[in-house]
Amino acid sequence: MSAVLPTILTPILAPVAAATVIALGRRLPGPIALAGVVVALLASGMLLAAAFSGRVSPLVLPGLPEMPLRLEAGPLSAVLSALVAVIATFVLVFATGYMRADPQRNRFFATMLIFVAAMQALVLAADWITLLAAWEVIGATSYLLIGFWYRKPGVADAATRAFLYTRSADLGLYLGVFLLIGAAGSSEISATLAISGPAATLGGLLLLVAAMGKSAQLPMQDWLMRAMAGPTPVSALLHSATLVAAGAILLIRVSPMLPGQTLVVIGLVGGATTVVTGMIALAERDLKRLLAASTSSQYGLMLLAVGAGAPVVALLHLIAHAAIKSGLFLGAGVFQHQRGSTRLEDLAGVGRAHPRIFAGFALAALSLAGIPPLAGFFSKDAIIAATMSAPGAAWLLPLGLAGTVLTGAYMARAMTLLWRGPHAPAGGGNPDLVWMGSGMGALVALAAGLGAGFPAVEELLGAHVATSAVAMALGLGAALAGLALGWKVDGARLLGPLAGRAERGFAIGGGMDALVARPALALARACDRFETRLFGAVLAVGRATATIAQGTRVSDERGIDGAIFGLVRATIASGARARRLQSGLIHRELALTAIATGLIAAALFAAPLLL
Amino acid sequence: MSRDLSFLLPELVLMVTAALMLAGEMIRRPRLVLGIGLVGLALATGLAWPLLKADTTVFGGTYRIGPLAVWSKLILLPATALSLLLARAELAGKFREGSVYSLMVLVSIGALMLAGSGDVMLLVLGVVLTGLGSFALVAWPADDPATEAAMKFLVFGSVAGAVMVYGLTFWFAGAGSTLLSALTGIDRAPVLAAAGLVGLLVGLGYKAALVPFHFWAPDAYEGAPVSVAAFLSVVTKVAAIFALAQALSALPVQTGWQWAVAVIAAISMTYGYLAALVQSNLVRLLAWSSVAQSGYFLLGLVAVGGGALARESLIVFAAAYAAMNIGAFAIVLIGGRDMEAIGGLGRRAPARAAAMSVFLLSLTGIPPLFGFFGKALLFGAALDAGFLWLVVVAILNSVLALGVYLRIVVALYAPAEAAQPAPQAGAAVSTVWIVTLVITLVMGVLTRLLTG
């Protein structure tokens, strides 16, 4: 295959090819989509193997002059590519069952495949232009996926909100990237990582803004919870290894460039997010929204690790979280399939009716909380250890520990609510459940056992992750304390006076709306008023002439008024014409042009004195 | 002499073509006129191709055969051919439809003259030649809105042309020559330099529909046939931008022209998009959007004295702009001029709605479409010239652009209120949107081919 097509293109092109086949053939979308992602998975596996053996060769395509497009499966990219491929495969296995009855499943699978292809392009990109392109395609397809059920009330609004939030934050990416390219004189990512000084500080902060938008960090966390309006496989994919991960991946990739003060800011943003969104998760009344808030919180922990100067640790947590969170979402999807709702009160006791699914959910939940020997334990332990030895340990360590306690508490709360409650017998054998269960089962197995693979990843990336007995004791203690609290005490009581605010998502969403959406709309309205006024002036002139003409007619009723009538008719007609064209006042417009020309002339005459 | 004429083969072919087209129109054979026009344009484009390597002047330095001039032929002549096809789709069977085709080819000769001018006299000739044909094209439907729009266009053009000629005489006084290459020393006479510059900006700014010389554009585009609006928004605009580049590249920066151009750029982008934001008539909206796009062109212009990147950025963006703008106008021609008319087009004609979305996203500058690569190069050129603030303004305006263009995309995919049939589209207009769509989708990645 690599003779015809470079292996590195396969993870991107295979899903695109499958999407094309679905779009053209319009039948069997599930199996075709699976075939596409499995081919991508094989290619990603080959890339990973090549990275292990140290044979990495970049693929250079013609792009802009001096700025060719580059794809390269270096160690970090190969690991991420494999991660994306694995999660996408199992999520699509699940989706084959979940979407079986949906009349729009062709559209669903095709969009999912494009999304996966864009994510592969993002992780494999070795130059900023490719990365920007992939970033944009991810944004656009996530809009389509979140808004998939656009006929349902509120869904289109949620999709638009997600798009606007991430899109505004993307400005940071554009400015940051252009700054980095300008400073380094090359669009190659590895070349820009060598820069230092103010450009690195400012560029890092600008990229942080973009990452905050995509990874739903404070204060832009609100869109993620609303994005739950999409189908569950979408949530599982978006929240684990893809859309939300893009922000963290961006920071992990540029972390070698980031100077100390930028790292501190990143760490604080992550730490604040992990605590605040952890509390939101504790107060949520909807299972999917709880998981969404938890995603924000876990990405906060990753940013905390990046801020502590341990990007590899952040990567480990990203990998563990990807498997865990997609497993949890798929579990939530099964429950939703059974009860037709994701509200926790409707789901009470659903776990007892499906003990095997619940067991999987609980295993993933415990892994997220950080219970050994599950994967989450190793990554969370490494984060705690990293914050202990970081320069800002006094700030970062308490935030990390608080995040861990909260993780345990809200996962325990979810488990109690799903387990306790009226026992209703499960519906009979459902063929969809086979697909859904096997997709979820594979992910849960990964969530539990991935920890065993971490040393290999560390070795591949050439980094040694420090750990210590103290960190392990602290982390495990925090996790157990959280679990116990969440199991025993009601979430609302645990938060005390903060409960109400946490339930409303700390209402910071309103602040972002005021910052982004409202000014844009207000400006548009102001322009509208300006136009209307100009239009009014035109009409007024027309009316005035018509009135004068009318007056003339009255005063000279019996005169030779053919000419006057003609004038009136002409005036009214020209008024109507002016109205059609919105402006007939060419002399006024010429006057504006003349004034502006005068200003330009004045400025230019003054220029030699100034320059 | 024969050497000079060999460099002018494309122009000569076009003149013969235009004459034959007029003859065909006299015997009222519109299909023949169209055929002659398409063949002539194709032939002229083909003859321009071998000139790509040339970098010289003819007729004593008055006419330039360089990258800008040759690329203007390779971009504007196919754009004219696409406009002819649009006009055929829109006006087939109407009285004197052939005159539209021949006028378009005549205007395209003026456009080439503008883009290749090396002398102020040629600038003036180009403005007049493009202007005369354009007035007639706008007035062609001969109904009230078209007549009024053409009248306004003519009055504006006369005033701007007069100011331009008057201003350019100062340059002659300062440089002692009408050659643009003689301008290098004109900063020794700053007042004369500034007066000439004002004239140049007014005359060519009017042609390129830059704020504050843009007032004619929305009315003229709305009054004219859609195909003529597409033609004017691409061919005469790009020609004017290239002419500005030819004139400004020799002008010393001490005259402050970079700042004047940068300020006009910032105002054009912002004002154009703000005004586009409240339009419900798609032709007016595209007119305002083309005002804003002219502002983006100026990003490359501020750097034009510096290096090759500025010239490359202008060429690439001109190609991208020609494809995506003509494509958007083609879909408007099929779907209808009103926002309501295209509502739900996504259901009735999914391929055309998708194509429209691609054109609009490319106009916004979303990668990996062609428009993005053009804009990225323009940004790079402006950065090289030290105009970081202008690049920031341009990037912020891209957000406004998204608001402008997404409104149309949203309308395209809104549920249709009544089950209307899919709008009919003939082979001519389908060719136009498919060709421009392929260019918009594919050329971005192949940008390097354009810049060599």
Side-chain angles (χ1 to χ4, degrees):
Chain A
M1 165 175 283
S2 46
V4 190
L5 194 69
T7 320
I8 194 163
L9 278 177
T10 316
I12 304 168
L13 292 186
V16 173
T20 316
V21 173
I22 292 175
L24 294 178
R26 303 209 154 265
R27 53 176 60 89
L28 289 179
I32 296 172
L34 275 179
V37 290
V38 166
V39 172
L41 179 62
L42 292 176
S44 288
M46 285 163 69
L47 290 179
L48 191 60
F52 265 111
S53 61
R55 287 181 289 109
V56 179
S57 56
L59 175 73
V60 183
L61 302 167
L64 294 170
E66 316 292 317
M67 298 184 190
L69 305 179
R70 301 173 70 92
L71 292 175
E72 186 173 335
L76 177 59
S77 296
V79 169
L80 287 170
S81 166
L83 178 70
V84 172
V86 168
I87 304 286
T89 306
F90 292 128
V91 168
L92 282 178
V93 168
F94 177 91
T96 310
Y98 187 87
M99 300 300 285
R100 186 194 292 277
D102 196 297
Q104 294 283 318
R105 56 190 182 282
N106 284 324
R107 180 160 64 92
F108 172 81
F109 280 105
T111 323
M112 283 288 260
L113 287 167
I114 300 290
F115 179 84
V116 171
M119 193 64 208
Q120 289 282 8
L122 180 96
V123 299
L124 292 173
D127 75 289
W128 286 112
I129 307 291
T130 313
L131 189 132
L132 274 181
W135 190 276
E136 291 285 357
V137 177
I138 286 172
T141 42
S142 65
Y143 170 77
L144 296 177
L145 287 170
I146 294 170
F148 182 74
W149 285 322
Y150 57 91
R151 287 181 192 282
K152 280 194 192 171
V155 169
D157 179 54
T160 311
R161 188 174 288 261
F163 189 68
L164 278 181
Y165 268 54
T166 51
R167 186 74 217 171
S168 331
D170 286 353
L171 277 182
L173 183 66
Y174 274 85
L175 292 175
V177 163
F178 280 118
L179 183 77
L180 292 182
I181 293 179
S186 161
S187 65
E188 210 175 320
I189 295 181
S190 54
T192 53
L193 294 187
I195 68 169
S196 56
T201 310
L202 185 60
L205 289 176
L206 287 168
L207 295 183
L208 173 63
V209 172
M212 282 161 67
K214 275 275 194 284
S215 291
Q217 298 294 295
L218 231 49
M220 290 183 270
Q221 83 286 19
D222 182 61
W223 68 268
L224 188 59
M225 276 159 264
R226 292 176 193 256
M228 289 303 103
T232 299
V234 170
S235 310
L237 190 60
L238 259 55
H239 280 225
S240 52
T242 55
L243 175 72
V244 185
I249 290 174
L250 180 69
L251 289 180
I252 292 173
R253 287 191 77 166
V254 299
S255 60
M257 174 196 86
L258 300 175
Q261 58 267 50
T262 310
L263 286 179
V264 171
V265 177
I266 293 177
L268 287 180
V269 167
T273 305
T274 190
V275 172
V276 171
T277 52
M279 290 198 282
I280 295 176
L282 205 48
E284 264 304 337
R285 293 173 191 277
D286 182 295
L287 180 58
K288 278 179 76 179
R289 289 175 62 97
L290 182 151
L291 292 178
S294 139
T295 303
S296 246
S297 174
Q298 297 303 317
Y299 276 93
L301 280 177
M302 291 172 216
L303 261 65
L304 191 70
V306 172
V312 175
V313 171
L315 176 70
L316 293 183
H317 196 53
L318 190 139
I319 295 172
H321 174 259
I324 294 169
K325 192 48 67 66
S326 45
L328 286 174
F329 265 114
L330 297 189
V334 176
F335 297 147
Q336 176 194 16
H337 218 66
Q338 299 305 312
R339 294 276 171 98
S341 161
T342 54
R343 292 182 59 76
L344 282 166
E345 57 187 81
D346 297 333
L347 290 175
V350 72
R352 213 175 295 191
H354 298 277
R356 268 183 295 176
I357 300 289
F358 182 78
F361 187 89
L363 198 60
L366 290 175
S367 180
L368 190 65
I371 299 302
L374 306 172
F377 164 72
F378 295 101
S379 59
K380 199 156 280 186
D381 170 45
I383 292 179
I384 303 287
T387 53
M388 281 174 72
S389 54
W395 291 92
L396 301 181
L397 180 62
L399 288 170
L401 285 176
T404 310
V405 173
L406 283 166
T407 308
Y410 61 68
M411 283 330 304
R413 173 168 171 258
M415 286 191 282
T416 41
L417 291 175
L418 290 173
W419 185 253
R420 293 179 188 156
H423 178 81
N430 188 334
D432 297 350
L433 266 183
V434 178
W435 284 104
M436 290 159 68
S438 49
M440 177 181 170
L443 286 168
V444 168
L446 283 178
L450 257 183
F454 284 174
V457 174
E458 289 166 34
E459 186 197 343
L460 178 61
L461 294 172
H464 176 65
V465 173
T467 183
S468 70
V470 184
M472 211 177 285
L474 275 176
L476 194 54
L480 288 173
L483 280 173
L485 275 175
W487 190 265
K488 289 287 175 203
V489 189
D490 181 51
R493 270 207 296 150
L494 207 56
L495 287 171
L498 284 174
R501 305 204 57 191
E503 204 184 322
R504 289 191 300 276
F506 284 93
I508 308 168
M512 279 309 288
D513 268 7
L515 220 63
V516 179
R518 273 182 229 151
L521 293 175
L523 198 59
R525 272 195 294 273
C527 296
D528 190 25
R529 271 202 296 279
F530 177 69
E531 275 263 323
T532 320
R533 214 162 282 162
L534 203 68
F535 178 48
V538 173
L539 278 188
V541 172
R543 257 201 311 277
T545 4
T547 321
I548 294 168
Q550 193 80 10
T552 326
R553 189 177 76 99
V554 171
S555 72
D556 190 9
E557 209 147 353
R558 293 183 156 255
I560 312 163
D561 42 41
I564 297 173
F565 268 127
L567 186 66
V568 174
R569 270 197 299 275
T571 322
I572 292 174
S574 77
R577 257 208 306 282
R579 181 182 164 154
R580 259 202 309 283
L581 291 174
Q582 297 222 353
S583 163
L585 299 178
I586 188 164
H587 57 277
R588 178 180 287 190
E589 293 171 355
L590 270 175
L592 284 175
T593 303
I595 292 169
T597 310
L599 287 176
I600 295 172
L604 283 173
F605 284 128
L609 309 176
L610 302 175
L611 290 174
Chain B
M1 191 66 173
S2 63
R3 167 195 170 272
D4 287 1
L5 286 180
S6 73
F7 279 115
L8 289 179
L9 274 179
E11 283 85 349
L12 293 174
V13 167
L14 276 184
M15 282 179 212
V16 174
T17 306
L20 288 177
M21 289 171 83
L22 279 176
E25 170 63 8
M26 281 175 202
I27 55 169
R28 294 280 184 276
R29 299 285 295 277
R31 286 172 63 98
L32 179 69
V33 177
L34 179 70
I36 296 173
L38 292 176
V39 169
L41 286 165
L43 190 59
T45 313
L47 286 171
W49 204 264
L51 301 178
L52 263 181
K53 290 189 189 66
D55 194 356
T56 178
T57 59
V58 294
F59 294 132
T62 54
Y63 194 65
R64 294 179 178 171
I65 310 287
L68 274 179
V70 179
W71 274 109
S72 77
K73 297 180 180 68
L74 295 178
I75 295 167
L76 297 185
L77 297 182
T80 308
L82 292 174
S83 307
L84 288 186
L85 288 175
L86 279 188
R88 172 67 184 174
E90 188 178 13
L91 308 172
K94 297 247 173 73
F95 182 58
R96 279 184 174 279
E97 65 167 293
S99 58
V100 171
Y101 310 144
S102 39
L103 281 171
M104 279 183 176
V105 172
L106 279 171
V107 172
S108 74
I109 300 175
L112 297 191
M113 199 179 277
L114 269 180
S117 51
D119 189 289
V120 291
M121 305 296 275
L122 247 76
L123 283 180
V124 175
L125 270 179
V127 166
V128 173
L129 194 49
T130 50
L132 288 176
S134 307
F135 305 141
L137 279 171
V138 171
W140 187 86
D143 53 10
D144 280 354
T147 312
E148 175 158 345
M151 202 61 207
K152 189 167 188 178
F153 192 16
L154 175 68
V155 172
F156 234 97
S158 313
V159 175
V163 174
M164 179 185 185
V165 174
Y166 181 60
L168 291 179
T169 53
F170 286 93
W171 269 359
F172 179 61
S177 160
T178 55
L179 285 178
L180 292 175
S181 52
L183 290 172
T184 43
I186 200 164
D187 54 317
R188 284 192 299 274
V191 176
L192 297 179
L197 182 53
V198 170
L200 183 83
L201 288 176
V202 171
L204 293 177
Y206 145 80
K207 193 106 290 201
L210 289 163
V211 178
F213 320 109
H214 66 285
F215 290 101
W216 59 273
D219 293 345
Y221 291 6
E222 194 190 2
V226 173
S227 48
V228 170
F231 177 75
L232 291 181
S233 73
V234 170
V235 175
T236 53
K237 181 186 296 267
V238 170
I241 298 283
F242 280 20
L244 274 174
Q246 298 280 23
L248 295 176
S249 58
L251 201 62
V253 291
Q254 286 80 6
T255 53
W257 66 265
Q258 283 180 312
W259 281 91
V261 168
V263 170
I264 293 178
I267 296 174
S268 293
M269 286 185 267
T270 316
Y271 190 79
Y273 277 142
L274 283 177
L277 215 47
V278 292
Q279 302 298 331
S280 61
N281 180 315
L282 287 178
V283 175
R284 281 188 88 83
L285 190 152
L286 285 177
W288 283 112
S289 118
S290 82
V291 169
Q293 302 285 352
S294 301
Y296 278 94
F297 268 114
L298 297 195
L299 254 71
L301 220 50
V302 293
V304 80
L309 179 61
R311 208 171 51 210
E312 281 169 7
S313 69
L314 286 174
I315 291 168
V316 171
F317 191 63
Y321 173 75
M324 58 205 184
N325 219 40
I326 290 183
F329 271 110
I331 304 292
V332 169
L333 181 58
I334 298 173
R337 289 173 169 232
D338 272 318
M339 198 74 105
E340 285 166 18
I342 57 145
L345 197 67
R347 302 285 164 72
R348 290 178 281 139
R352 280 167 260 169
M356 185 67 166
S357 312
V358 168
F359 296 135
L360 296 172
L361 292 177
S362 181
L363 282 167
T364 317
I366 303 283
L369 302 171
F370 201 6
F372 164 77
F373 288 89
K375 282 194 179 167
L377 283 177
L378 289 173
F379 291 175
L383 277 179
D384 274 0
F387 281 84
L388 177 65
W389 67 267
L390 186 57
V391 175
V392 172
V393 170
I395 292 177
L396 290 177
N397 265 306
S398 298
V399 181
L400 266 183
L402 203 66
V404 171
Y405 298 121
L406 274 189
R407 269 178 64 221
I408 307 180
V409 177
V410 168
L412 284 174
Y413 291 99
E417 288 179 5
Q420 296 163 298
Q424 294 297 310
V429 69
S430 300
T431 314
V432 174
W433 73 256
I434 291 170
V435 168
T436 50
L437 177 69
V438 170
I439 295 175
T440 310
L441 282 175
V442 176
M443 279 310 288
V445 188
L446 306 176
T447 302
R448 219 155 29 150
L449 299 182
L450 282 185
T451 54

